[in-house]
Amino acid sequence: MAEMLAQLAGIRGYYATIMPFMPLHQALEVARYYPHARVLMHSGEATLSVPAGGLDSQLQQLCSHHRVRANAELAAFARLGNRVEWCRLDDYLLEAAAELIANNRGKYGSHQGIDWMQRIFDGQKKSSVINTAVAAVAKRGEQILGVTIFYRFGETLHARYYGSNYQIDDNDFRYFVLNYYYSLDYAAKNGIREYRLSISALRAKTQRGAKIEPLAALLLFENVVPLSISECEDYNRLFYQHYQQQFGTHLTHDWALLD
């Protein structure tokens, strides 16, 4: 696959093919077999081994301070009359989710709106990827306050899209309830062993027990001089040091592959 992608880039006159968001060990494995490949670090993903007891078991593993805060956030969510429903993605929910997700992306500077998100969902319908999805929906009465869309592959659950109704913004901690607390119980009850919480809000996720796994971009070159190995190694070493300073013991063992 790497050879075909690199050849395609060469035919089209591109400098390289870039495969981002690859777990580091997988990117390095490809690079060992394809001599014109280079690996560059670009982010980290929060991951969690799902305890058999779900959220209760996970809370017991946290320090007292973080456990008390988590319980306070859950209590605030319930006190405001919220509940969580797990739903398949029908057309009605996809329409509502597209608007909420666009709201969230817009809050953090994205200019891709509702139409863009609807095109993403349309593509997922055509590819049948949407059949692997499930949504955690935060509701107050019949009003949808927030939604997180997850995708299941084997025994792994991926949190992919989060959206919120910011017109009702009363600090009910819906983000963590949907993306962390209730999702752990769902995962434990449905035979999921690994939960991947995406690349955002890493500090907050480590405080709730997550580890940070290294993600790399695999660069595939064809008919051009690739970046030097030493340049890539120097950059990756600085990247590792930066994450080590931020997250310390929360890094997974895969980061040692950069040494």
Side-chain angles (χ1 to χ4, degrees), residues 197-243:
L197 296 86
S198 193
I199 62 173
S200 62
L202 294 182
R203 174 70 63 189
K205 290 169 182 174
T206 59
Q207 291 172 351
R208 290 160 177 82
K211 296 289 187 179
I212 306 300
E213 178 179 303
L215 295 180
L218 181 67
L219 281 65
L220 303 168
F221 297 90
E222 181 76 8
N223 300 326
V224 296
V225 178
L227 300 171
S228 73
I229 293 176
S230 61
E231 285 178 317
C232 295
E233 289 178 343
D234 289 345
Y235 172 82
N236 290 340
R237 192 175 299 110
L238 291 173
F239 189 95
Y240 177 27
Q241 291 172 1
H242 175 66
Y243 266 68

Side-chain angles (χ1 to χ4, degrees), residues 86-124:
W86 289 88
C87 309
R88 289 296 171 185
L89 289 163
D90 58 20
D91 288 340
Y92 170 77
L93 183 54
L94 284 173
E95 183 178 351
E99 180 178 356
L100 295 177
I101 294 166
N103 287 345
N104 186 64
R105 293 173 64 85
K107 180 179 179 181
Y108 295 101
S110 172
H111 300 295
Q112 297 161 324
I114 297 173
D115 291 344
W116 179 83
M117 198 66 232
Q118 288 174 333
R119 289 197 300 272
I120 294 292
F121 287 144
D122 287 342
Q124 292 183 7

Side-chain angles (χ1 to χ4, degrees), residues 25-131:
H25 68 278
Q26 292 180 350
L28 290 172
E29 182 179 1
V30 176
R32 281 196 295 270
Y33 290 96
Y34 187 72
H36 298 304
R38 296 292 184 267
V39 174
L40 284 179
M41 299 303 305
H42 67 70
S43 58
E45 181 178 28
T47 67
L48 196 64
S49 296
V50 178
L55 176 59
D56 286 343
S57 294
Q58 184 63 26
L59 291 179
Q60 294 307 311
Q61 298 178 34
L62 302 181
C63 70
S64 175
H65 172 73
H66 290 153
R67 184 167 59 249
V68 167
R69 180 177 57 189
N71 285 323
E73 291 170 349
L74 284 161
F77 181 83
R79 187 171 59 251
L80 289 166
N82 301 329
R83 69 184 189 280
V84 175
E85 296 180 2
W86 289 88
C87 309
R88 289 296 171 185
L89 289 163
D90 58 20
D91 288 340
Y92 170 77
L93 183 54
L94 284 173
E95 183 178 351
E99 180 178 356
L100 295 177
I101 294 166
N103 287 345
N104 186 64
R105 293 173 64 85
K107 180 179 179 181
Y108 295 101
S110 172
H111 300 295
Q112 297 161 324
I114 297 173
D115 291 344
W116 179 83
M117 198 66 232
Q118 288 174 333
R119 289 197 300 272
I120 294 292
F121 287 144
D122 287 342
Q124 292 183 7
K125 288 180 184 179
K126 292 177 182 177
S127 67
S128 298
V129 169
I130 204 75
N131 297 333

Side-chain angles (χ1 to χ4, degrees), residues 114-220:
I114 297 173
D115 291 344
W116 179 83
M117 198 66 232
Q118 288 174 333
R119 289 197 300 272
I120 294 292
F121 287 144
D122 287 342
Q124 292 183 7
K125 288 180 184 179
K126 292 177 182 177
S127 67
S128 298
V129 169
I130 204 75
N131 297 333
T132 70
V134 64
V137 182
K139 287 187 173 181
R140 189 174 302 173
E142 292 306 311
Q143 187 170 20
I144 297 177
L145 301 183
V147 61
T148 297
I149 297 178
F150 304 84
Y151 297 82
R152 178 173 182 170
F153 296 96
E155 295 181 333
T156 301
L157 188 68
H158 298 258
R160 182 62 186 91
Y161 301 107
Y162 170 74
S164 183
N165 179 353
Y166 291 109
Q167 292 180 345
I168 303 175
D169 191 9
D170 46 18
N171 203 27
D172 59 6
F173 302 101
R174 68 190 72 154
Y175 174 82
F176 289 111
V177 168
L178 293 178
N179 288 279
Y180 186 83
Y181 302 135
Y182 277 60
S183 54
L184 274 179
D185 277 339
Y186 174 87
K189 291 175 182 176
N190 287 275
I192 293 166
R193 297 179 181 272
E194 181 185 47
Y195 178 35
R196 293 183 169 270
L197 296 86
S198 193
I199 62 173
S200 62
L202 294 182
R203 174 70 63 189
K205 290 169 182 174
T206 59
Q207 291 172 351
R208 290 160 177 82
K211 296 289 187 179
I212 306 300
E213 178 179 303
L215 295 180
L218 181 67
L219 281 65
L220 303 168

